[in-house]
Amino acid sequence: MAKFLFVTDLDHTLVGDDQALGELNQQLDRHREQQGTKIVYATGRSLALYRLLLAEKHLLVPDALIAAVGTEIYYNEGDGNPDPAWSKQLSPGWNREVVLATGARFADLVPQPGSEQRPFKVSYHLSQEASVEVLPRLDSLLKQRGLDIQLVYSGGRDLDILPRNGNKGLAVQFLRKVWGIDATRTVVCGDSGNDIALLSVGEPRGIIVGNAMPELRQWYEANQTDYRYMAAGACAGGILEGLKHFGFLP
Ligand code: GLC
Ligand code: MG
């Protein structure tokens, strides 16, 4: 049972079933101690909201935290600044002011709280009904204005506007290079739209938890391969199931 890189989304993926979480924590902690396995959380949350979750749930200390939908990478429990080498890659084609001014033209876009507006992430709430018409219009307007961005829509309610070079999957790829870990020894887990990049950059082993949102299920159905696994179990229970399926855990 050699070491691997374990990457998981938090809300409704790692977190959601306290009992299964306890069991998974125990197994991962032991694996890290004995084999040097690395544990990474890849969340949409800002560092501030991540800390609120830490106060509520028992989570292992990760080797790195990918926050704000992949636009910030922290080591050492988020002490200090995000990795500047990563932040540097996000600047080309990004202009926050232009993103904000463009977003303001759409009445359906409701800004998320201030804590979730980050240097390389602008976030709104947007209803599923309005999204059908708003997303393509917003995308083409931002591109007309010279920006190189991506729109990430999750859970039928959250819209994140990110630089082209930054998302959860690209952040994992960056960490794989830093640590020298192959995609075949990497497993990523998710439940919603912002996890599509996590599952699709490179060819990591992927676990989709049984309670996944419709957008991720649809994506999985259209992109099935033997290195992606749709779990029957929900949250940490589904992760345990997938880790066994891929042979990372006994
Ligand atoms: C988290 C973040 C939010 C983001 C959402 C989806 O809830 O706090 O800003 O829009 O994830 O990525
Ligand atoms: Mg989630």
Side-chain angles (χ1 to χ4, degrees), residues 5 14 25 34 48 75 101 111 135 153 157 166-167 179 183 187 191 197 204 206 242 244:
L5 169 58
L14 183 66
N25 276 347
Q34 294 176 351
Y75 310 95
L135 293 178
Y153 190 52
R157 55 165 253 168
N167 59 39
W179 289 332
V187 61
D191 78 299
K244 288 173 189 163

Side-chain angles (χ1 to χ4, degrees), residues 46 48-49 96 111-119 121-123 125:
S46 60
L49 284 193
R96 253 191 131 261
Q112 289 187 14
S115 72
E116 301 315 283
Q117 310 300 342
R118 305 295 305 157
K121 167 178 176 285
V122 173
S123 296
H125 291 304

Side-chain angles (χ1 to χ4, degrees), residues 9 11-13 191-192 195:
D9 169 52
D11 294 278
H12 312 292
T13 304
D191 78 299
S192 83
D195 301 315

Side-chain angles (χ1 to χ4, degrees), residues 14-245:
L14 183 66
V15 173
D17 174 343
D18 290 345
Q19 201 187 329
L21 173 61
E23 197 179 317
L24 177 61
N25 276 347
Q26 215 175 29
Q27 298 213 32
L28 287 173
D29 205 22
R30 193 177 324 130
H31 216 279
R32 177 161 62 177
E33 218 175 278
Q34 294 176 351
Q35 311 290 345
T37 280
K38 294 218 180 268
I39 299 171
V40 172
Y41 301 145
T43 181
R45 291 177 179 238
S46 60
L47 191 56
L49 284 193
Y50 167 69
R51 289 192 168 136
L52 285 185
L53 186 66
L54 285 188
E56 283 170 27
K57 300 285 174 187
H58 174 64
L59 299 183
L60 298 174
V61 175
D63 294 281
L65 170 72
I66 295 171
V69 199
T71 61
E72 296 168 22
I73 299 178
Y74 297 92
Y75 310 95
N76 308 317
E77 278 285 85
D79 287 346
N81 296 322
D83 188 330
W86 177 241
S87 308
K88 211 173 125 191
Q89 298 193 20
L90 306 181
S91 303
W94 177 251
N95 184 327
R96 253 191 131 261
E97 302 315 310
V98 176
V99 172
L100 286 174
T102 310
R105 293 181 41 166
F106 292 80
D108 291 308
L109 293 179
V110 179
Q112 289 187 14
S115 72
E116 301 315 283
Q117 310 300 342
R118 305 295 305 157
F120 295 104
K121 167 178 176 285
V122 173
S123 296
Y124 299 93
H125 291 304
L126 171 67
S127 72
Q128 183 90 59
E129 304 79 70
S131 70
V132 181
E133 192 232 350
V134 168
L135 293 178
R137 271 178 53 217
L138 177 63
D139 190 60
S140 69
L141 204 52
L142 287 166
K143 284 171 183 161
Q144 264 170 40
R145 294 179 172 186
L147 299 190
D148 198 10
I149 48 82
Q150 56 189 309
L151 304 184
V152 180
Y153 190 52
S154 305
R157 55 165 253 168
D158 291 322
L159 172 65
D160 303 307
I161 307 178
L162 312 176
R164 167 66 51 204
N165 294 335
N167 59 39
K168 288 184 177 186
L170 293 166
V172 169
Q173 195 175 52
F174 177 87
L175 283 176
R176 284 207 297 100
K177 283 188 190 141
V178 171
W179 289 332
I181 302 177
D182 203 75
T184 57
R185 296 302 300 167
T186 301
V187 61
V188 300
C189 318
D191 78 299
S192 83
N194 71 13
D195 301 315
I196 292 174
L198 199 55
L199 289 148
S200 60
V201 175
E203 295 186 351
R205 312 301 88 147
I207 300 171
I208 292 128
V209 289
N211 54 299
M213 297 297 295
E215 73 266 8
L216 186 58
R217 286 180 171 280
Q218 276 159 24
W219 178 85
Y220 168 76
E221 267 144 36
N223 295 277
Q224 290 189 37
T225 83
D226 56 4
Y227 56 83
R228 294 190 186 122
Y229 179 74
M230 169 70 83
C235 304
I239 296 177
L240 273 166
E241 190 189 314
L243 288 173
K244 288 173 189 163
H245 168 84

